[in-house]
Amino acid sequence: MTNCDDLVNADYAIPNPLWHYSEIWHQCQQEMQELQQMLASVQEVENASPESDRKIKDALDAIGQRLNQARRMMDM
Protein backbone atom coordinates (compact mmCIF):
# COMPACT_ATOMS: atom_id res chain seq x y z
CA MET A 1 0.00 0.00 0.00
CA THR A 2 1.36 3.41 -0.97
CA ASN A 3 1.51 6.15 1.62
CA CYS A 4 -0.56 9.12 0.45
CA ASP A 5 2.21 11.46 1.65
CA ASP A 6 4.51 9.92 -0.95
CA LEU A 7 2.07 10.94 -3.68
CA VAL A 8 1.95 14.64 -2.84
CA ASN A 9 4.27 17.04 -4.62
CA ALA A 10 5.92 19.00 -1.80
CA ASP A 11 6.01 22.20 -3.87
CA TYR A 12 2.33 22.27 -4.77
CA ALA A 13 0.59 19.87 -2.40
CA ILE A 14 -1.16 18.25 -5.37
CA PRO A 15 -1.42 14.47 -5.39
CA ASN A 16 0.26 12.41 -8.04
CA PRO A 17 -2.21 11.99 -10.95
CA LEU A 18 -1.50 8.24 -10.88
CA TRP A 19 -2.92 7.98 -7.36
CA HIS A 20 -6.20 6.08 -7.41
CA TYR A 21 -8.11 8.88 -5.67
CA SER A 22 -6.54 11.82 -7.48
CA GLU A 23 -9.67 12.83 -9.42
CA ILE A 24 -11.87 12.55 -6.32
CA TRP A 25 -9.33 14.57 -4.33
CA HIS A 26 -9.33 17.36 -6.93
CA GLN A 27 -13.13 17.45 -7.10
CA CYS A 28 -13.45 17.59 -3.31
CA GLN A 29 -10.81 20.32 -3.09
CA GLN A 30 -12.74 22.38 -5.63
CA GLU A 31 -16.02 21.89 -3.78
CA MET A 32 -14.37 22.74 -0.47
CA GLN A 33 -13.27 26.06 -1.96
CA GLU A 34 -16.78 26.71 -3.27
CA LEU A 35 -18.22 25.92 0.15
CA GLN A 36 -15.73 28.22 1.86
CA GLN A 37 -16.68 31.03 -0.54
CA MET A 38 -20.37 30.41 0.11
CA LEU A 39 -19.78 30.48 3.88
CA ALA A 40 -17.86 33.74 3.57
CA SER A 41 -20.75 35.31 1.67
CA VAL A 42 -23.24 34.01 4.27
CA GLN A 43 -21.22 35.76 6.96
CA GLU A 44 -21.84 39.04 5.17
CA VAL A 45 -25.64 38.66 5.36
CA GLU A 46 -26.98 40.59 8.34
CA ASN A 47 -30.65 39.68 7.97
CA ALA A 48 -32.21 36.68 6.26
CA SER A 49 -34.29 37.41 3.19
CA PRO A 50 -35.92 35.37 0.44
CA GLU A 51 -33.11 36.46 -1.88
CA SER A 52 -30.31 35.40 0.49
CA ASP A 53 -32.15 32.12 1.20
CA ARG A 54 -32.37 31.43 -2.53
CA LYS A 55 -28.67 32.19 -3.09
CA ILE A 56 -27.63 29.89 -0.24
CA LYS A 57 -29.92 27.08 -1.39
CA ASP A 58 -28.71 27.42 -4.99
CA ALA A 59 -25.07 27.30 -3.89
CA LEU A 60 -25.66 24.27 -1.66
CA ASP A 61 -27.62 22.50 -4.40
CA ALA A 62 -24.84 23.06 -6.93
CA ILE A 63 -22.14 21.90 -4.53
CA GLY A 64 -24.21 18.87 -3.53
CA GLN A 65 -24.79 17.88 -7.15
CA ARG A 66 -21.09 18.04 -7.95
CA LEU A 67 -20.21 16.04 -4.83
CA ASN A 68 -22.77 13.41 -5.84
CA GLN A 69 -21.10 13.23 -9.26
CA ALA A 70 -17.76 12.69 -7.51
CA ARG A 71 -19.30 9.96 -5.37
CA ARG A 72 -20.67 8.23 -8.48
CA MET A 73 -17.09 8.09 -9.83
CA MET A 74 -16.45 5.58 -7.05
CA ASP A 75 -19.05 3.24 -8.59
CA MET A 76 -17.16 3.04 -11.90
Side-chain angles (χ1 to χ4, degrees):
M1 181 174 209
T2 304
N3 183 341
C4 179
D5 293 337
D6 296 337
L7 300 171
V8 176
N9 179 323
D11 295 331
Y12 301 105
I14 298 172
N16 180 327
L18 299 177
W19 179 40
H20 181 75
Y21 296 115
S22 177
E23 194 172 345
I24 298 292
W25 184 90
H26 282 286
Q27 185 68 38
C28 289
Q29 287 292 321
Q30 183 177 337
E31 297 316 318
M32 184 172 59
Q33 290 174 357
E34 291 287 328
L35 188 55
Q36 288 171 336
Q37 290 173 353
M38 191 269 313
L39 287 171
S41 68
V42 167
Q43 273 184 292
E44 301 293 319
V45 178
E46 291 187 26
N47 298 306
S49 70
E51 182 182 353
S52 63
D53 287 355
R54 182 187 50 75
K55 287 180 180 180
I56 293 167
K57 287 177 184 178
D58 288 350
L60 289 172
D61 285 345
I63 292 167
Q65 288 174 3
R66 291 188 301 265
L67 286 173
N68 281 330
Q69 288 173 344
R71 193 206 60 76
R72 283 192 293 276
M73 285 192 283
M74 300 297 298
D75 295 337
M76 295 178 179

